[in-house]
Amino acid sequence: MTTNTTPQPLRALVTGAGAGIGAATARSLARNGASVLVTDIDLAAAQRTADEIIAAGGTALATRLDASSNEDHVAAVALAEKELGGLNIAVNNAGLTIPSTPTADLTDEQWHKVIDVDLNGAFYGVRAQIPALQRAGGGAIITVSSIAGDRALVGMSPYSAAKHAVVGLMQTVAWEYGDQGIRALAVAPAFIATGMEANLDDATAAALPGLHALGRLGEPDEVGDAIAWLAGPQASFMTGSYIPVDGGLLAR
Ligand SMILES: NC(=O)c1ccc[n+]([C@@H]2O[C@H](COP(=O)([O-])OP(=O)(O)OC[C@H]3O[C@@H](n4cnc5c(N)ncnc54)[C@H](O)[C@@H]3O)[C@@H](O)[C@H]2O)c1
């Protein structure tokens, strides 16, 4: 008998799920049998992902959620409990970068823009989601960090700071709520072909494939499938971990 197994049926909420890794995660969770609340700051994008899931035979609905808004997280959790019948998987994926800027040249506005979504957004999400997972009898919260949660990313110090910080957040949540059957994980993609790399300078962007042992960027589905597996019952003894999905980048 285990206590850390995500209860069935799977009911999931994903932030930033209108595109990229978040959309891939929502689709993969749905393929694994979860009903999914697809959220994004761009409601039309969230609706597109939900429509794809429904067209493929899954269960999904969409709502607008700005990850930097505490109220939006609280409302989304309430919606999931009302419309899906509960919540036992939460994926805090929404994140953004700004154009590459050396640290001493950053404005307050640039710093806060990244921290508000990539760090505060994860905290608001986790704080709203934990009570719902407790009511569901347990589950998994996964926050999307980055290889920049373990290493420097030159020109991206607010991003790297936020991605390091969410690792500590998830490690702490794992210990605070593990005995209640709640698992907490930080997933760390390397460079994934979603367009985010557009904010890197040209020389850095050209060098990206060669940074990976596999010699290429990752695909969003490769991260989404890993997250869906980690969120599910097969990963019942995994919590508190920083899990690279990185094509070997951190191995060097
Ligand atoms: N793409 C990469 O190479 C890479 C690498 C490591 C980590 N990540 C992380 O993965 C996550 C997803 O990145 P992606 O590459 O799929 O991004 P993306 O830009 O392809 O998609 C991001 C989605 O988030 C939404 N979004 C933006 N601001 C938001 C906000 N304030 N609230 C809610 N939604 C918002 C966008 O509308 C979009 O649909 C981010 O946390 C990112 O830091 C990405």
Tab-separated table of all heavy atoms in Angstrom, residues 24 33 44 59 67 71 74 95 97 144-145 170 189 191 210-211 219 225 239 243 247-248:
chain	number	residue	atom	x	y	z
A	24	ALA	N	1.529	20.757	-24.967
A	24	ALA	CA	1.944	19.353	-25.109
A	24	ALA	C	1.652	18.573	-23.834
A	24	ALA	O	1.233	17.406	-23.887
A	24	ALA	CB	3.436	19.294	-25.444
A	33	GLY	N	-5.540	9.772	-19.827
A	33	GLY	CA	-6.829	9.572	-19.177
A	33	GLY	C	-7.282	10.698	-18.266
A	33	GLY	O	-8.343	10.594	-17.636
A	44	ALA	N	-8.047	32.320	-26.194
A	44	ALA	CA	-8.266	31.654	-27.487
A	44	ALA	C	-7.261	30.516	-27.686
A	44	ALA	O	-7.611	29.447	-28.214
A	44	ALA	CB	-8.154	32.671	-28.626
A	59	THR	N	-11.201	14.746	-22.512
A	59	THR	CA	-12.063	15.666	-21.784
A	59	THR	C	-11.247	16.883	-21.378
A	59	THR	O	-10.197	16.747	-20.734
A	59	THR	CB	-12.619	14.988	-20.514
A	59	THR	OG1	-13.312	13.806	-20.910
A	59	THR	CG2	-13.564	15.914	-19.765
A	67	ALA	N	-0.757	33.870	-14.980
A	67	ALA	CA	-0.015	33.220	-13.896
A	67	ALA	C	0.452	34.210	-12.840
A	67	ALA	O	0.697	33.824	-11.693
A	67	ALA	CB	1.175	32.458	-14.468
A	71	GLU	N	-5.516	35.870	-7.914
A	71	GLU	CA	-6.967	35.660	-8.046
A	71	GLU	C	-7.271	34.666	-9.167
A	71	GLU	O	-8.178	33.842	-9.044
A	71	GLU	CB	-7.683	36.981	-8.329
A	71	GLU	CG	-7.678	37.977	-7.177
A	71	GLU	CD	-6.299	38.585	-6.897
A	71	GLU	OE1	-5.464	38.660	-7.830
A	71	GLU	OE2	-6.048	38.945	-5.739
A	74	VAL	N	-6.683	31.120	-7.906
A	74	VAL	CA	-7.744	30.696	-6.981
A	74	VAL	C	-9.008	30.345	-7.766
A	74	VAL	O	-9.650	29.307	-7.519
A	74	VAL	CB	-8.010	31.815	-5.944
A	74	VAL	CG1	-9.260	31.519	-5.122
A	74	VAL	CG2	-6.790	31.999	-5.044
A	95	GLY	N	5.547	30.535	-18.204
A	95	GLY	CA	6.805	31.222	-17.959
A	95	GLY	C	7.173	32.054	-19.157
A	95	GLY	O	6.687	31.825	-20.264
A	97	THR	N	10.500	34.792	-20.886
A	97	THR	CA	11.838	35.386	-20.819
A	97	THR	C	11.754	36.792	-21.399
A	97	THR	O	10.737	37.167	-21.999
A	97	THR	CB	12.870	34.588	-21.632
A	97	THR	OG1	12.440	34.539	-22.995
A	97	THR	CG2	13.041	33.180	-21.114
A	144	VAL	N	7.413	23.763	-13.909
A	144	VAL	CA	8.411	23.709	-14.976
A	144	VAL	C	9.520	24.705	-14.651
A	144	VAL	O	9.312	25.922	-14.665
A	144	VAL	CB	7.787	23.981	-16.350
A	144	VAL	CG1	8.857	23.925	-17.429
A	144	VAL	CG2	6.695	22.945	-16.640
A	145	SER	N	10.670	24.148	-14.302
A	145	SER	CA	11.877	24.943	-14.092
A	145	SER	C	12.619	24.984	-15.413
A	145	SER	O	12.024	25.261	-16.468
A	145	SER	CB	12.707	24.332	-12.954
A	145	SER	OG	13.937	24.979	-12.800
A	170	MET	N	9.554	23.708	-4.709
A	170	MET	CA	8.996	22.368	-4.865
A	170	MET	C	9.625	21.377	-3.886
A	170	MET	O	8.945	20.483	-3.365
A	170	MET	CB	9.156	21.886	-6.316
A	170	MET	CG	8.447	22.773	-7.336
A	170	MET	SD	6.744	23.217	-6.876
A	170	MET	CE	5.929	21.663	-7.150
A	189	PRO	N	13.545	21.371	-18.486
A	189	PRO	CA	13.880	21.200	-19.903
A	189	PRO	C	15.177	21.926	-20.246
A	189	PRO	O	15.506	22.947	-19.635
A	189	PRO	CB	12.698	21.868	-20.633
A	189	PRO	CG	11.627	22.064	-19.601
A	189	PRO	CD	12.328	22.185	-18.297
A	191	PHE	N	16.897	23.103	-24.118
A	191	PHE	CA	16.345	23.997	-25.141
A	191	PHE	C	15.330	23.239	-25.999
A	191	PHE	O	15.650	22.243	-26.638
A	191	PHE	CB	17.475	24.591	-25.986
A	191	PHE	CG	18.343	25.502	-25.160
A	191	PHE	CD1	19.536	25.048	-24.613
A	191	PHE	CD2	17.943	26.802	-24.882
A	191	PHE	CE1	20.323	25.878	-23.821
A	191	PHE	CE2	18.712	27.638	-24.085
A	191	PHE	CZ	19.909	27.172	-23.556
A	210	GLY	N	24.022	21.971	-30.610
A	210	GLY	CA	25.255	21.318	-30.179
A	210	GLY	C	25.462	21.276	-28.680
A	210	GLY	O	26.386	20.605	-28.200
A	211	LEU	N	24.632	21.959	-27.917
A	211	LEU	CA	24.739	21.901	-26.459
A	211	LEU	C	24.165	20.606	-25.895
A	211	LEU	O	24.372	20.288	-24.729
A	211	LEU	CB	23.981	23.082	-25.819
A	211	LEU	CG	24.502	24.488	-26.144
A	211	LEU	CD1	23.594	25.536	-25.527
A	211	LEU	CD2	25.933	24.647	-25.657
A	219	GLU	N	11.647	18.532	-28.495
A	219	GLU	CA	10.304	18.869	-28.975
A	219	GLU	C	9.375	19.028	-27.766
A	219	GLU	O	9.520	18.304	-26.769
A	219	GLU	CB	9.770	17.762	-29.892
A	219	GLU	CG	10.532	17.620	-31.193
A	219	GLU	CD	10.452	18.890	-32.045
A	219	GLU	OE1	9.400	19.557	-32.010
A	219	GLU	OE2	11.447	19.209	-32.722
A	225	ASP	N	5.296	14.647	-22.434
A	225	ASP	CA	5.148	13.228	-22.081
A	225	ASP	C	5.865	12.902	-20.771
A	225	ASP	O	5.362	12.100	-19.963
A	225	ASP	CB	5.688	12.339	-23.208
A	225	ASP	CG	4.761	12.288	-24.409
A	225	ASP	OD1	3.594	12.717	-24.301
A	225	ASP	OD2	5.204	11.821	-25.479
A	239	THR	N	9.368	12.335	-5.587
A	239	THR	CA	8.981	13.652	-5.081
A	239	THR	C	10.225	14.409	-4.637
A	239	THR	O	11.262	13.803	-4.337
A	239	THR	CB	7.954	13.546	-3.935
A	239	THR	OG1	7.366	14.841	-3.725
A	239	THR	CG2	8.589	13.063	-2.631
A	243	ILE	N	14.240	17.323	-12.088
A	243	ILE	CA	14.345	16.287	-13.118
A	243	ILE	C	14.635	16.907	-14.477
A	243	ILE	O	13.749	17.485	-15.119
A	243	ILE	CB	13.047	15.453	-13.168
A	243	ILE	CG1	12.847	14.781	-11.817
A	243	ILE	CG2	13.101	14.416	-14.283
A	243	ILE	CD1	11.424	14.531	-11.483
A	247	GLY	N	18.149	16.229	-23.092
A	247	GLY	CA	18.969	15.711	-24.196
A	247	GLY	C	20.429	15.546	-23.821
A	247	GLY	O	21.300	15.532	-24.700
A	248	GLY	N	20.714	15.429	-22.538
A	248	GLY	CA	22.084	15.197	-22.080
A	248	GLY	C	22.871	16.454	-21.750
A	248	GLY	O	24.045	16.372	-21.374
